[in-house]
Amino acid sequence: FKYDHVKSRRQVGSTFKPIVYATALEKGISPCIRIGNYLRTYPQYQNWTPKNSDGKYGGVYTMEQALSKSVNTVTVNLAVRIGSMNVAQMAEDLGISDDVPAAPAIALGAHEASLLDMITVYSTFANRGKRPELYYIRKIETSKGRVVYQNWVDQKTWKQPLTQDHAD
């Protein structure tokens, strides 16, 4: 059956977490801070209690450690601390084309996005903070090497939602 795997939307899960950490860096949070890995209930969000997939709690993590180990409680704590609306705005700035709800559950990827959107987000990190304009075909050549079509990309027109350091 015909199904567009590139533009169809699905929950993105933990692939969303780098957006939370990038937002924290842009908001001035030091990457060296230590954040506790504790089971917390957020009464302001209908007594929501996010859990870690491994069921383990305790200790503290730097941003790098929490991201590399995909620690849910630390990521949500950080998202609440910097503001879910800031995370939602950053997600849109990095390339998610639909409105992202300003709810803390987005920190765990509860929002749906397309593969194309997530490629744009990750390409922004790879391009040192510049959000690329994606295209399918860069160049078409004949069998003898004559260029029939070429898509020139002017990177100067790309938006830069992240600083180079924060993208790196």
Side-chain angles (χ1 to χ4, degrees), residues 79-112:
V80 169
R81 184 179 194 173
I82 59 178
S84 298
M85 71 205 103
N86 293 319
V87 175
Q89 185 61 56
M90 178 63 76
E92 292 173 18
D93 292 347
L94 291 175
I96 294 184
S97 57
D98 293 325
D99 289 338
V100 178
I106 63 170
L108 303 181
H111 177 66
E112 293 182 347

Side-chain angles (χ1 to χ4, degrees), residues 42-49 80 84 102-104:
Y42 295 91
Q44 68 273 37
Y45 300 110
Q46 301 171 350
N47 289 322
W48 180 51
T49 306
V80 169
S84 298

